[in-house]
Amino acid sequence: MTGTESPGQPKQNVVEKGRTNRRFWRSRRAVFGSLFLLGICLCALFAGTIAPADPIAVSINNRLYAPAGVQGGGRYVLGGDQLGRDVLSRIIHGARISLLVGVSAALLSGTLGVGLGLLAGYYGRTVDEVIMRLADIQLAIPTILLAIALVGVMGPNLRNLILVLGITGWVIYARTIRGVVLSLRETQYVEAANALGAGDRRILWRHVLPNVWTPAVVIGSQQVGFMIILESALSFLGLGVQPPTPTWGAMIADGRGYLATAPHVTTFPGLVLMATVLAINFLGDGLRDILDPRLRL
Amino acid sequence: MIAYIVKRLLLSVLVLLGVSVVVFSLVHFAPGDPARLLLPDGALDEDVAIVRQALGLDRPLHMQYWVFISRAVQGDLGRSLYYKQPALGVILEHLPATILLTFSALLVSLAVAVPMGIVSAVRRDSPWDYAGMLLATIGQATPVYWLGLMLILFFAVQLRILPSSGRGGIEHLILPSVALGAPLMALVTRLVRSGMLDILGEDYVRTARAKGVAERLIVLRHALRNIMIPLVTIVGLQFGALLGGAVITETVFAWPGVGRLVVDAITARDYPLVQAATLLVAGYFVMINLILDVLYVYLDPRIRYA
Amino acid sequence: MKPRDSSLSRRELLRLGAAAGLGAAGLSFVGCSRESKDQVVVSRPEEFQKLDAADQFNLVNYTLFMHIFDTLVELDADGKIVPSLAESWEVSPDGLAWTFKLRKGVKFHNGDPFTSKSVKFTLERYKDRKLARSTWWTELDKVDTPDDYTAVVRTVKPVGPMLSNLITPTVMYSDKQGEKDGPTFYEKLIGTGPYKFVEWKKSERFVMELNADHWRQPLPKIKRIVYRPIMEDSTRLAALRSGELHMADTIPPDQVKVLQSDDKIQVLRVMAWDQLYLGLKCDQPPFDTVEGRQAINYAIDRKSIVEKIMEGGRPAAAIVPQGVIGYHDGLKPYPYDPDKAKSLLAKAGWKGGSKLKFIAPQGWYPKIKEVTETIASQLQAAGMDTELTVMEGAAFTQARGAGNYNIYITGGASWDPDQMMDQRIRNDVFKSGYKNQKVFDLILEGRTSVDQAKRAEAYKKAQEILYEEGSMVWLFQMEAIYGIRKNLKGFTAYPFKVWDLRKAEIS
């Protein structure tokens, strides 16, 4: 894993840089992924202008309106949901909130997890033991219990939802980063740096951190999608966002009762969710291809 | 090695203690009064107070915790407020169902994911690869309950070849296992594929191929060994996720497991049952983790523990 | 990573797989019996709760207990009280003693005879205030047993709803069995009913078998009843459609079309004695004035909610639904008039600006999310901005019980007006702050008159006042929708959401 160049140094070589960029563009996946995500982000940012209808206005005369093209449909392109709201508009507005939830939660758990993983892997022994046992405790507590308690005490709102999701997700980062750091610890350049008298913090910052950055990003990109799905699961159990806020997760959960009669209510948000996660995964793969193709995580 | 195991066991006890404290606090801080929930909707405040007192819920929190933990170490995990029966008994009635479901979901997902990952890696960038990756992403990105409901609609209602819900023979196990195992299957497929790709490019593999060793042997021997550690890590982690995901699967398929029991107990604020169940599940989980960590050391002795 | 020279990896993989496989195989499967003409499988999205009939209030329990036990009196399908274990009864002129003449020759499933001592044993248990159903019996003094087949129930004050309190779940237990088996005697579920208890696997199924020695002839035709709780609506429906269930309770209204298109299934709709209402906080604006409370009544379009969202049921006007004693057919649901609502709000001095706290319980009633979201938007259109929170059940009961709301939504199912009015209005358990001594007196009169006609009058008068100024905004009466396979005949569903398989059969 250790090449001839020191991983801490950025790739200075101009030729190298060109090759990197070309590798990215050659990967069809990474390109597709980033384009799709760009589209989603645009939706999130400009939801108000893009969306054709009001995502919140209840219109019970349009309940379960069929999508355009299906018999009986027409007014709404993707149909109306169980309260007559335009599914397409709700999906567009939902992009904003779902992405917010996913990214914030992934960032929160990522920061927590990478930090703890670094400490555990680098300092080892007691610190490692304590952190790993904390991880055990964390994993042994049902997410639902945490969700109900936190949401119940602090109120069911977006911020608390992100908090819950973020707190439950740190372990996978911590464990993986810890593993990476443990292996790195034994390598030559760290020993050399130590021998040269570099302090712990400097070693962590310059030599270890850049190496964990890559797996962290890869895990993080996966976790964003995972967090959005988890939000959907919490919505299924009634612990998600409050009505009438549209999130993809809540739309899928609330519309599941109509799978047999009006499948468009769950299916369209579901497809968008799937495509987004796919895109995130492709982007993650692409990122990994550029950053370190030999790093397989 | 023995010293390590003993040390881990002792630490496990600490972990369980930690879990019990956290869960106790969480469940007591969650708003809602179990005494009120045990009475009909319009119960009078005096009646609620009488029930609270009878259940010992008006005593200070640290006292309640002490009572719980001191009895727990003797094997008495309290009485469920909801069922009015010993909590341990109630949990043990439900636990086998969840363990069965979790293991079979694990089996199903590994049985599908490992070969699929290998095929994807060996035929990289081919239609096989894309199909595999697509399937993997669908499994990962689809909410478990949605997948479960689709499976039910298709196999139970349309085709009528599998039962929709409940527990029974093997036929009842199939759909829930597939639904529960789908996300894990997706994860493992990608993992296996990555690990395989990693190896297939290495020098020693090229050497082995040049020496004429049958390709299949190379694949199985070296590549699988390479992915064992991350695989074991992920499987260990996902166990917790499986137990959590089991809640949703159990709800959708009316599977009488402990996941659903715990959620219902939380909803009813059945403190003893929640505390007992999480303690037992945590114990089970800690044990699995210990086993996996020992496996970890076996697989790569470079990772030594001081 | 350098290759390691060992073949442990494959072995480990195999070991992992074997462990998993053994784990799975080693645990026993529970076989389930196949369908037959003698067995009926039914489902409701509710679990069978605790085993003590006196300590629960769950409709599934009521239903299943109705098959395993008998009560002194019963409600027939029209809602009239008819004899069961009590053949006849009369009440003393002062209303303090009810004398019941009991049926002879009735035996419990374990052979114990049913006598007046059984009645005494059963009813005097209710003095324990820890039991959930003890609130119906706070006026109970004692039960005298002058002879084996006469029981005299004595109360300290006249109890108007006495007969209503004696139908399910007030099932009769055997005194002999109670003595023999101690404080948890109820766990054996030994009753006098047409079915015997077989087994209860929690969250999985509850099984009953025909009792061939039952006193009531003709015996039920179904030999075995299996109850399976299935929480998820879609799953329960799927099980009905696939033939695994003979009856599925609580069908969501939109799924009715799907079932009707299946020629093996029929849909039964019963107008239930269960109405949804909004509770208002009457000591805070805008509902601290009569105008404010009337305003919200006019602001809600009940008809379109009933037609478009619930697709069944009917708008409600007052606390007592049709068919229950005390029903006032002169009170009609408020019409939808948002302009009138606005003007009333103005009269109440409400200028808006702050959001009203609107709480709802998640999952208690079908479509609660849609109904509350629609109401919230209707209120907003009338000038009342709300902050809707669909809370988890326990958190909701906490907030509601503490009076921590401006508006809450709840249902009320009952077969006697006293059940809701005494607690929710006279005792104001939800802390609405509504006080009207005249109304309280009328409710008390209803509770303490044994003359049923007088009771009805008192309740009607109370409702008239409440209609004008009460703290409850009555939304609509709900319909209970059952999906039944056509080969199940004779299924009866009562308006209080209990069903009856005692006269059913499979053809």
Side-chain angles (χ1 to χ4, degrees), chain A:
Chain A
M1 228 185 288
T2 52
T4 45
E5 77 253 329
S6 118
Q9 305 296 334
K11 292 187 167 74
Q12 299 289 3
N13 198 321
V14 175
V15 177
E16 278 283 323
K17 208 178 198 178
R19 208 175 294 164
T20 306
N21 286 339
R22 237 180 290 140
R23 235 187 299 164
F24 182 83
W25 290 113
R26 199 176 299 154
S27 164
R28 276 177 292 170
R29 295 185 180 177
V31 173
F32 165 71
S34 16
L35 280 176
F36 187 82
L37 282 178
L38 194 64
I40 298 281
C41 289
L42 282 174
C43 279
L45 287 171
F46 300 110
T49 29
I50 301 180
D54 186 346
I56 305 186
V58 170
S59 166
I60 47 183
N61 291 310
N62 291 324
R63 283 196 79 224
L64 301 178
Y65 217 84
V70 177
Q71 182 192 36
R75 165 174 306 192
Y76 297 136
V77 173
L78 292 181
D81 73 353
Q82 66 273 19
L83 280 175
R85 301 174 287 210
D86 178 21
V87 172
L88 179 60
S89 302
R90 279 178 74 83
I91 290 180
I92 293 176
H93 280 262
R96 177 186 295 179
I97 304 186
S98 302
L99 273 185
L100 180 68
V101 170
V103 172
S104 315
L107 270 175
L108 182 59
S109 54
T111 319
L112 203 58
V114 169
L116 287 174
L118 273 177
L119 293 175
Y122 191 73
Y123 287 109
R125 274 179 278 153
T126 336
V127 176
D128 181 22
E129 207 59 66
V130 166
I131 292 183
M132 281 300 104
R133 293 318 121 224
L134 276 177
D136 283 347
I137 296 182
Q138 170 74 59
L139 288 173
I141 297 177
T143 316
I144 290 127
L145 177 55
L146 202 61
I148 292 185
L150 285 174
V151 161
V153 170
M154 301 188 301
N157 57 42
L158 209 55
R159 184 198 65 183
N160 297 334
L161 183 64
I162 295 175
L163 209 65
V164 170
L165 291 176
I167 290 180
T168 52
W170 64 270
V171 178
I172 183 171
Y173 295 92
R175 287 213 167 181
T176 318
I177 300 301
R178 169 184 176 267
V180 169
V181 173
L182 278 177
S183 338
L184 278 180
R185 208 169 53 160
E186 311 302 321
T187 55
Q188 294 175 333
Y189 68 94
V190 171
E191 285 177 12
N194 243 325
L196 286 173
D200 278 344
R201 206 180 301 173
R202 183 182 171 77
I203 296 182
L204 269 175
W205 189 256
R206 289 211 86 210
H207 296 286
V208 179
L209 192 57
N211 272 306
V212 306
W213 160 248
T214 311
V217 164
V218 173
I219 296 179
S221 60
Q222 263 190 359
Q223 286 285 305
V224 171
F226 178 68
M227 287 297 167
I228 301 183
I229 306 244
L230 196 53
E231 188 258 315
S232 178
L234 287 179
S235 292
F236 171 85
L237 292 168
L239 299 166
V241 291
Q242 285 302 306
T245 320
T247 66
W248 295 338
M251 291 169 74
I252 301 175
D254 289 344
R256 76 187 186 275
Y258 307 100
L259 256 180
T261 44
H264 63 274
V265 181
T266 23
T267 315
F268 289 131
L271 286 174
V272 174
L273 176 59
M274 227 183 280
T276 307
V277 173
L278 193 65
I280 292 177
N281 283 347
F282 281 174
L283 188 62
D285 285 353
L287 276 176
R288 192 192 54 225
D289 279 348
I290 327 168
L291 293 175
D292 185 355
R294 274 173 302 187
L295 179 60
R296 296 294 170 182
L297 270 163

Side-chain angles (χ1 to χ4, degrees), chain C residues 182-360:
Chain C
T184 54
F185 70 93
Y186 51 80
E187 289 188 0
K188 295 221 174 118
L189 288 178
I190 295 193
T192 58
Y195 283 90
K196 285 195 230 206
F197 170 65
V198 173
E199 71 169 352
W200 177 35
K201 281 199 152 25
K202 298 188 184 58
S203 316
E204 206 179 325
R205 58 168 184 264
F206 185 97
V207 184
M208 312 184 273
E209 224 166 39
L210 182 63
N211 169 23
D213 300 318
H214 193 238
W215 54 267
R216 186 184 270 151
Q217 299 288 339
L219 288 176
K221 296 215 177 50
I222 299 178
K223 295 223 174 37
R224 209 172 133 95
I225 300 179
V226 176
Y227 172 77
R228 289 182 53 200
I230 301 180
M231 302 300 170
E232 182 64 25
D233 287 339
S234 313
T235 309
R236 196 167 63 257
L237 249 99
L240 178 68
R241 289 168 70 193
S242 71
E244 291 160 75
L245 295 176
H246 291 95
M247 191 283 293
D249 192 341
T250 318
I251 307 283
D254 338 86
Q255 308 293 349
V256 169
K257 285 197 265 314
V258 175
L259 292 183
Q260 280 168 337
S261 61
D262 186 331
D263 59 359
K264 293 218 177 59
I265 299 179
Q266 72 188 34
V267 175
L268 175 66
R269 305 179 88 117
V270 176
M271 198 65 76
W273 290 340
D274 190 359
Q275 305 184 108
L276 216 57
Y277 69 93
L278 298 178
L280 307 173
K281 196 87 169 74
C282 298
D283 48 26
Q284 277 173 32
F287 306 125
D288 52 351
T289 59
V290 172
E291 286 86 8
R293 287 176 238 148
Q294 286 187 354
I296 188 173
N297 266 300
Y298 283 108
I300 299 175
D301 187 358
R302 292 165 178 78
K303 251 184 93 205
S304 66
I305 295 180
V306 164
E307 279 166 24
K308 303 261 169 51
I309 300 183
M310 302 306 295
E311 291 180 62
R314 55 182 175 220
I319 191 166
V320 183
Q322 192 173 21
V324 178
I325 172 182
Y327 172 64
H328 194 321
D329 57 11
L331 298 172
K332 299 288 174 228
Y334 272 81
Y336 175 50
D337 195 339
D339 294 319
K340 188 147 187 206
K342 287 200 192 110
S343 70
L344 281 168
L345 271 181
K347 259 200 237 147
W350 174 254
K351 293 193 192 33
S354 57
K355 284 191 182 221
L356 299 171
K357 193 160 177 211
F358 184 2
I359 58 176

Side-chain angles (χ1 to χ4, degrees), chain B residues 38-39 41-42 45 47 54 82 84-85 93-94 156 160 164-168 225 252 269 295 299, chain C residues 4 6 9 12 28 30 50 55 57 129-130 135 202-203 228 235 239 241-242 244 392 400 423 431:
Chain B
L38 285 170
L39 292 175
D41 211 19
D45 289 345
D47 291 336
Y82 191 81
K84 299 264 194 307
Q85 291 177 359
E93 278 182 53
H94 287 81
R160 306 238 176 151
S164 64
S165 53
R167 195 179 167 190
R225 207 179 299 140
V252 171
R269 301 294 190 271
L295 267 176
L299 293 172
Chain C
R4 288 202 43 244
S6 89
S9 60
E12 290 310 325
S28 54
V30 178
K50 303 164 260 181
D55 196 19
F57 42 91
R129 292 299 291 263
K130 295 197 295 290
T135 38
K202 298 188 184 58
S203 316
R228 289 182 53 200
T235 309
R241 289 168 70 193
S242 71
E244 291 160 75
E392 193 238 341
R400 185 184 58 177
Q423 290 179 328
K431 317 268 184 320

Side-chain angles (χ1 to χ4, degrees), chain C residues 88-92 97-101 146 150-153:
Chain C
S88 66
W89 54 87
E90 58 179 29
V91 57
S92 66
W98 291 72
T99 308
F100 293 92
K101 290 270 183 252
T150 311
V152 183
V153 180

